[in-house]
Amino acid sequence: MNSVNPLVPQKVTLLEIAAETPEIKTLRVAGEGGAPFDFRPGQCAMLSLPPVGEALFSITSSPDCRDSLEFSIKEAGSVTRALHALSPGQELGLRGPYGNGFPVETLKGKDLLFIGGGIGLAPLRSLINYCLAHRAGYGHIDIVYGARSPADLIRRAEINKRWPAAPDTAVYLTVDAEFPEWSGHVGFVPSYVSELAFTPENRVAVTCGPPIMIKFVLKALEELKFTPDQVITTLEMRMKCGVGKCGRCNLGSKYVCKDGPVFTLAELKTLPAEY
Amino acid sequence: MIKSINKAGLDRLWERLAAAGPLYLPVKEGPAVLFRPWAEGAAAALDVTQATVSPKEIFFPRDETYLKFRREGEKLALAESGTPAGPAIAFGLRSCDLRAVELLDLVFRGQEPADALYGRRRENTMLVALACGQPDPSCFCGAFGINPADAPGADVMAWWDGDVLVMEARTARGEALFAAAGELLQESAAGSKPLAPATAEFGLPLEDLPERLKSRFYDPAWDRLYRGCLACGGCTYFCPTCHCFDVQDYGSQERGERFRCWDSCMFGRFTLMAGGHNPRPTQKERVRNRFLHKLQYFPENFGRFACVGCGRCLRSCPVNLDIVQAIRALGGETVEQR
Amino acid sequence: MAEHHISAAAKIRAAVAQDLLSGRISLLLGWEKGHFQWQSRPLFARDGADLERLAWDSFCAVNLSRYLPEELKENEKVGVLVKGCDSRALNRLVQDRAVPRERVVAYGLPCPGMLDAGRLVEAAGGWPDEIAEANGRVVLKGGGRESEVHRDSLLLDKCRHCLYPDPVACDQLLLAPVGNREAPDRFKAVEEREQLSAGERYAYWEKELQRCLRCYACRQICPACSCRECFVEQEQPRWLGKAYDASETFLFHLIRAYHVAGRCIDCGECERSCPVGIPLQELNRKLIKDLNALYGPYEAGLDPEREPPLLTYAPNDPAAFTEK
């Protein structure tokens, strides 16, 4: 064999599968020696379940967690449906890591504002836990997270207890509408961001969520005078190869799988808005 | 080293060369010409200017299995698989085809991670280029600085001198072909080496085109250009530089295989996400992406146009929507061009 | 191009200009020239300047009706130039409820039959620089050669077997009718194939279909392929695999042939559009021939009031539902 085929997955075992919401489950997988590879927060991997297929997901666990990898997955198509139906012990395929990941080095010393919506918390969580594990390297951390309803919020142990209890960290939760069991903030994420009036000084905003949320979050941040290079987002596209060759995920000459999925708003402004 | 063979002896040459591995030749199938492994009785269509479908399928086949799986209960066995790509010969590629191979190399071998499937075939295949004596009116390789009569990168460069096929070995691999052919080839002088025939150039404004296109993404000219597009995948499949692919599984819960196969950015589902969002929702975005990939994005990434002027889209698009039209519509200085 | 064609294009322009400029239609679907004399591409004319580019010659093969469903999303009323086959395509789309007839103005162009670029090259011994037509003959000049051939010998296959070159059910006929044609050889290839054994037929089609690129040009241009989502694209369940495998390719072409059976207008656009020249119309003609034999003569798209045989319930249906 001349070279290793990058499309061939390695084998991992599903250790744990837990329902986060009616549509989202978190899968924890590991190879024989724990996490099958090192990665940076924000990178992705291709989960593989033959004969259904493969799909790319962001790794939601922190790189510091070396015994396994976690993926929070929303049911949307055939692969995610099949993944949701798995039980612990099941073997599946995995390849990666793919993409650039968040710029953990350039974020050092900055105050961080995380803005997530729904399943969009998954890639942010990897970075949040990384920053909390390397707490001294980063400034104040604010986390604004929302979903359609209280039942749609994921990682509840973290958003309700662990993160608010972490040093110099604040968590702001919101849901789109009134619910009897919800006593917290009601309203869309972008307007909550405006309401909280974060200042741009020495702060970087990192956002991920549904396209429509991202669109209005970017607008809100612009109004709060964040400059385009102070705003970071992570994109999702249909992908097949993960290595910049199959042709699906390009924005102009950049491939989301390879050059992304993390882009600053300044970078995105130079690229076609085909995402 | 230069050798030659009379046209009448070619069938014996094919037989000899094909003994060691697949010998891909342009072969007529119905009205089309495709590169196919030579089989007894097959006639090589060496007189045809252009194969209908580019020879890229020698290195990047329409489909290719690379993984087999078996499942028993919780256990999943994954094993690399696929047809071994032993030594092969691609005979009769044109200069434009060779340039296209160079461009595909940039994608599949020139950037990490290298593509093993492509790489194996490419490394094991000898390239025999055939000079183009008479480009047809759709050929415009000259616009991309390609000489139809000479193909850099070929192991062997061949040209016709009347009924005699003259061959010049340019690499050790090429000389190995001469050795394999043995007494079937005669010692030869270069004879009358063909001059570069002129090709159409269509007056294309290629200079600084990638730079100019940067400001044309939202140009209304795209609205007019795309409308005729049928949204078939023809252009992407016969084009020598298109290389989009899909990965698919086939089989039962217990066993099956994974293969990659050609796919087309002209298809609506190509970028459709499982949740229903499509970042290129209409044919306009798809047509724009395909042409800009060739004319702006690829040059930005690799410093080369991803078009070789082979003219296949000019010949074969069922509604005559081709890259020359795109360059003319978007490449000029004026914003409002018809 | 022949004199009568130049004047014909001018005549067409004049006839449609009023409707386009007055706003009766907001778009006219026609043809314009491509890079070469033997090429035309669809023209989407919105104003007088666009109309200047309108062409009508022996190379306007593309069936424009196919663009109607999409263009009617953006335009209240669309004008379309229709040859005989195109007009039957329009009827077909109307019958399939893919196009509301009242939102289309069909301008009829009786068609002399379109020419095949491949045949021109053969006849001229190379690509011609100049193509001139007069009195049913074509003069081809180029490369120091000149040849004159009978026009009929250069027709596209699809036009050789055309029975109805004059448009049907158009709103306005723009040129003089050319009259119905005879096509005695229409089913010749089908009959030849019928003489083969099942094994030989399979071998024939296996050879023809092995070069299929699965580009779906045949489907995309077909006026009877009006499904919003083709079974090819359906993923749950996935009916058709994407491997280039004889069984998958056969499945696509056979299902398509059966799905358009009784609705295929025999325009031959599938075969003309096929980049690798698969004789697809043989499949469709086989079904046309069989349907004619089973349910009586029927020409799809000819009469918009007459439903296709396989969409009709008739108590006196001549064929039993089950046969031994």
Side-chain angles (χ1 to χ4, degrees):
Chain A
M1 188 73 50
N2 298 342
S3 51
V4 178
N5 179 352
L7 300 180
V8 171
Q10 54 180 305
K11 209 167 62 179
V12 290
T13 304
L14 180 65
L15 303 179
E16 195 183 337
I17 179 164
E20 299 271 354
T21 79
E23 293 172 322
I24 298 169
K25 287 186 178 179
T26 294
L27 283 72
R28 196 156 69 81
V29 305
E32 279 176 10
F37 45 68
D38 291 332
F39 65 97
R40 294 185 294 280
Q43 282 194 297
C44 303
M46 194 74 86
L47 278 175
S48 195
L49 197 62
V52 187
E54 287 187 304
L56 195 82
F57 303 99
S58 64
I59 305 167
T60 192
S61 47
S62 159
D64 297 309
C65 163
R66 290 174 187 273
D67 63 340
S68 59
L69 298 177
E70 285 182 344
F71 300 88
S72 288
I73 295 170
K74 182 172 179 168
E75 187 176 319
S78 51
V79 174
T80 51
R81 190 170 312 133
L83 288 170
H84 272 214
L86 295 179
S87 313
Q90 192 72 242
E91 291 180 337
L92 59 165
L94 177 80
R95 58 188 176 94
Y98 296 126
N100 55 356
F102 291 109
V104 288
E105 291 306 315
T106 58
L107 292 178
K108 279 211 168 126
K110 303 268 195 249
D111 291 341
L112 299 177
L113 167 59
F114 293 95
I115 306 167
I119 185 70
L121 187 67
L124 301 184
R125 175 182 175 253
S126 179
L127 179 60
I128 292 170
N129 283 334
Y130 175 88
C131 294
L132 293 178
H134 306 262
R135 194 66 196 87
Y138 301 91
H140 182 74
I141 292 178
D142 290 294
I143 300 164
V144 183
Y145 175 50
R148 281 171 305 181
S149 76
D152 291 308
L153 294 165
I154 67 168
R155 311 302 319 196
R156 281 183 233 170
E158 283 166 313
I159 60 173
N160 290 324
K161 299 203 173 74
R162 283 200 13 229
W163 293 347
D168 203 14
T169 302
V171 176
Y172 305 90
L173 301 180
T174 183
V175 296
D176 289 355
E178 302 275 0
F179 288 88
E181 71 275 24
W182 183 253
S183 57
H185 186 273
V186 173
F188 295 121
V189 169
S191 48
Y192 198 22
V193 169
S194 305
E195 214 174 286
L196 291 164
F198 296 98
T199 53
E201 283 72 38
N202 195 42
R203 184 171 275 137
V204 174
V206 187
T207 182
C208 185
I212 186 76
M213 183 207 89
I214 292 186
K215 190 178 156 193
F216 285 101
V217 163
L218 297 181
K219 214 172 139 206
L221 291 171
E222 201 176 353
E223 283 164 11
L224 293 171
K225 306 279 185 253
F226 280 74
T227 61
D229 44 291
Q230 279 179 290
V231 179
I232 293 173
T233 185
T234 172
L235 299 177
E236 191 187 4
M237 301 271 273
R238 185 180 172 98
M239 296 169 189
K240 285 289 183 171
C241 72
V243 291
K245 304 190 201 298
C246 81
R248 277 170 186 70
C249 70
N250 66 302
L251 304 175
S253 57
K254 301 287 180 213
Y255 288 84
V256 171
C257 67
K258 183 166 72 78
D259 306 304
V262 176
F263 294 95
T264 65
L265 181 56
E267 289 168 324
L268 281 186
K269 279 179 185 276
T270 68
L271 298 172
E274 289 189 333
Y275 47 86
Chain B
M1 195 194 296
I2 294 180
K3 295 209 173 194
S4 69
I5 184 168
N6 202 285
K7 198 173 191 173
L10 284 175
D11 280 337
R12 287 189 60 202
L13 179 65
W14 305 149
E15 195 177 345
R16 175 83 52 93
L17 296 178
L23 165 67
Y24 294 93
L25 287 165
V27 172
K28 215 159 162 47
E29 278 186 22
V33 175
L34 299 101
F35 276 82
R36 297 289 200 196
W38 180 84
E40 179 122 29
L46 294 180
D47 52 335
V48 172
T49 307
Q50 278 280 342
T52 316
V53 181
S54 103
K56 74 179 173 190
E57 59 182 318
I58 298 171
F59 316 104
F60 177 53
R62 299 172 184 207
D63 62 11
E64 184 164 23
T65 294
Y66 64 87
L67 186 75
K68 295 224 159 140
F69 71 88
R70 283 182 79 104
R71 186 198 303 281
E72 270 184 66
E74 291 180 337
K75 295 288 164 209
L76 177 69
L78 300 170
E80 265 200 83
S81 112
T83 23
I89 302 172
F91 202 112
L93 281 71
R94 299 297 190 179
S95 298
C96 53
D97 296 328
L98 260 293
R99 166 71 67 85
V101 171
E102 242 177 82
L103 298 171
L104 291 182
D105 279 355
L106 294 174
V107 176
F108 287 122
R109 303 164 90 199
Q111 54 177 13
E112 288 298 317
D115 188 282
L117 299 172
Y118 175 91
R120 269 205 306 261
R121 290 177 193 275
R122 174 74 175 82
E123 280 153 26
N124 289 324
T125 304
M126 177 185 327
L127 303 175
V128 183
L130 179 60
C132 227
Q134 201 178 12
D136 80 24
S138 300
C139 291
F140 60 107
C141 65
F144 294 98
I146 293 170
N147 175 354
D150 193 274
D155 294 302
V156 174
M157 184 71 220
W159 62 89
W160 288 108
D161 186 0
D163 271 350
V164 176
L165 187 66
V166 186
M167 294 189 272
E168 180 183 12
R170 293 181 167 177
T171 64
R173 204 201 310 242
E175 284 174 15
L177 177 134
F178 283 7
E183 83 291 352
L184 295 178
L185 302 183
Q186 286 86 51
E187 296 293 335
S188 173
S192 55
K193 244 182 167 173
L195 299 172
T199 71
E201 296 201 4
F202 296 106
L204 298 180
L206 293 177
E207 206 183 317
D208 299 327
L209 179 64
E211 192 55 37
R212 281 202 306 284
L213 285 171
K214 281 185 183 172
S215 60
R216 308 293 294 267
F217 188 81
Y218 296 103
D219 197 292
W222 293 112
D223 287 303
R224 289 189 291 272
L225 186 70
Y226 91 93
R227 274 183 197 273
C229 177
L230 290 173
C232 80
C235 54
T236 54
Y237 290 162
F238 50 65
C239 174
T241 68
C242 273
H243 55 270
C244 287
F245 62 83
D246 194 1
V247 170
Q248 290 277 322
D249 287 359
Y250 178 83
S252 65
Q253 286 298 325
E254 287 74 38
R255 70 180 63 194
E257 58 189 47
R258 175 165 294 167
F259 61 92
R260 83 148 157 216
C261 58
W262 286 2
D263 204 348
S264 172
C265 63
M266 294 290 97
F267 295 152
R269 286 196 165 233
F270 185 68
T271 50
L272 178 69
M273 293 165 68
H277 175 65
N278 195 340
R280 292 180 210 140
T282 75
Q283 205 57 26
K284 176 177 142 182
E285 292 83 31
R286 296 164 203 148
V287 167
R288 179 172 61 191
N289 181 69
R290 178 166 183 271
F291 286 131
L292 286 181
H293 185 220
K294 306 230 177 272
L295 302 171
Q296 182 196 336
Y297 308 156
F298 199 95
E300 282 173 3
N301 285 330
F302 299 108
R304 316 279 296 269
F305 284 112
C307 173
V308 298
C310 72
R312 286 186 178 88
C313 55
L314 279 77
R315 278 177 222 109
S316 296
C317 173
V319 295
N320 297 315
L321 201 180
D322 54 66
I323 196 162
V324 167
Q325 196 191 351
I327 298 172
R328 284 183 169 168
L330 273 304
E333 301 293 341
T334 55
V335 176
E336 277 296 311
Q337 264 201 346
R338 301 262 175 192
Chain C
M1 193 47 48
E3 277 306 306
H4 71 276
H5 274 153
I6 290 172
S7 58
K11 214 187 265 182
I12 296 164
R13 267 183 230 127
V16 298
Q18 174 63 19
D19 285 352
L20 188 63
L21 304 181
S22 71
R24 181 184 177 219
I25 54 173
S26 50
L27 176 73
L28 178 86
L29 300 175
W31 301 270
E32 63 178 312
K33 291 314 293 171
H35 302 301
F36 309 109
Q37 202 180 335
W38 56 84
Q39 290 186 337
S40 304
R41 55 174 76 117
L43 169 73
F44 299 78
R46 293 170 199 286
D47 55 32
D50 290 342
L51 270 190
E52 288 301 310
R53 307 204 310 281
L54 189 139
W56 170 246
D57 60 20
S58 294
F59 302 96
C60 296
V62 182
N63 178 349
L64 302 169
S65 306
R66 185 261 171 224
Y67 295 102
L68 285 169
E70 201 54 34
E71 294 301 333
L72 283 167
K73 289 180 187 166
E74 291 173 26
N75 296 277
E76 189 44 44
K77 203 155 193 174
V78 175
V80 58
L81 301 181
V82 290
K83 308 184 292 288
C85 52
D86 305 345
S87 71
R88 281 176 290 117
L90 173 60
N91 280 342
R92 170 76 265 126
L93 290 163
V94 170
Q95 271 186 320
D96 281 351
R97 316 278 190 275
V99 167
R101 183 63 181 84
E102 67 281 5
R103 290 177 55 201
V104 175
V105 181
Y107 305 94
L109 299 176
C111 174
M114 294 292 146
L115 305 187
D116 183 337
R119 293 207 160 98
L120 287 181
V121 175
E122 261 170 47
W127 289 94
D129 297 325
E130 205 188 313
I131 306 162
E133 288 183 44
N135 307 319
R137 303 199 63 84
V138 182
V139 180
L140 305 161
K141 288 184 201 163
R145 291 178 302 263
E146 179 174 329
S147 38
E148 187 181 326
V149 285
H150 197 276
R151 191 177 189 284
D152 281 354
S153 70
L154 300 176
L155 285 177
L156 282 167
D157 275 334
K158 67 176 231 162
C159 301
R160 294 182 172 213
H161 305 299
C162 174
L163 294 168
Y164 308 100
D166 289 326
V168 294
C170 58
D171 297 291
Q172 212 179 317
L173 200 61
L174 300 187
L175 302 171
V178 296
N180 287 353
R181 280 172 53 105
E182 301 278 315
D185 292 342
R186 188 182 180 199
F187 296 112
K188 193 170 161 226
V190 172
E191 280 156 4
E192 279 171 20
R193 232 57 72 202
E194 284 170 345
Q195 300 308 310
L196 302 176
S197 69
E200 289 166 331
R201 273 206 304 277
Y202 186 88
Y204 170 80
W205 281 109
E206 189 176 38
K207 189 164 179 304
E208 293 295 333
L209 291 178
Q210 72 173 358
R211 63 180 180 274
C212 173
L213 295 166
R214 305 273 291 273
C215 72
Y216 305 118
C218 50
R219 175 192 72 184
Q220 293 303 100
I221 201 134
C222 176
C225 271
S226 49
C227 292
R228 289 198 183 141
E229 187 183 41
C230 179
F231 79 101
V232 167
E233 268 84 40
Q234 287 174 352
E235 286 180 345
Q236 292 170 19
R238 181 184 278 290
W239 306 104
L240 191 72
K242 288 176 100 167
Y244 287 81
D245 162 300
S247 66
E248 307 280 17
T249 305
F250 269 61
L251 187 69
F252 165 64
H253 287 290
L254 292 179
I255 291 203
R256 199 183 91 79
Y258 274 96
H259 201 187
V260 300
R263 302 185 301 119
C264 167
I265 58 162
D266 202 2
C267 69
E269 276 289 87
C270 48
E271 190 170 307
R272 185 193 66 80
S273 296
C274 178
V276 290
I278 299 169
L280 292 167
Q281 202 49 17
E282 265 186 38
L283 286 178
N284 296 321
R285 286 211 183 100
K286 164 67 178 160
L287 289 166
I288 291 172
K289 179 171 174 282
D290 285 358
L291 287 172
N292 284 349
L294 285 167
Y295 303 104
Y298 178 77
E299 292 296 339
L302 202 55
D303 176 359
E305 302 303 316
R306 222 182 129 198
E307 288 288 335
L310 296 182
L311 298 183
T312 315
Y313 171 73
N316 58 347
D317 199 318
F321 275 97
T322 54
E323 282 187 66
K324 279 192 284 238

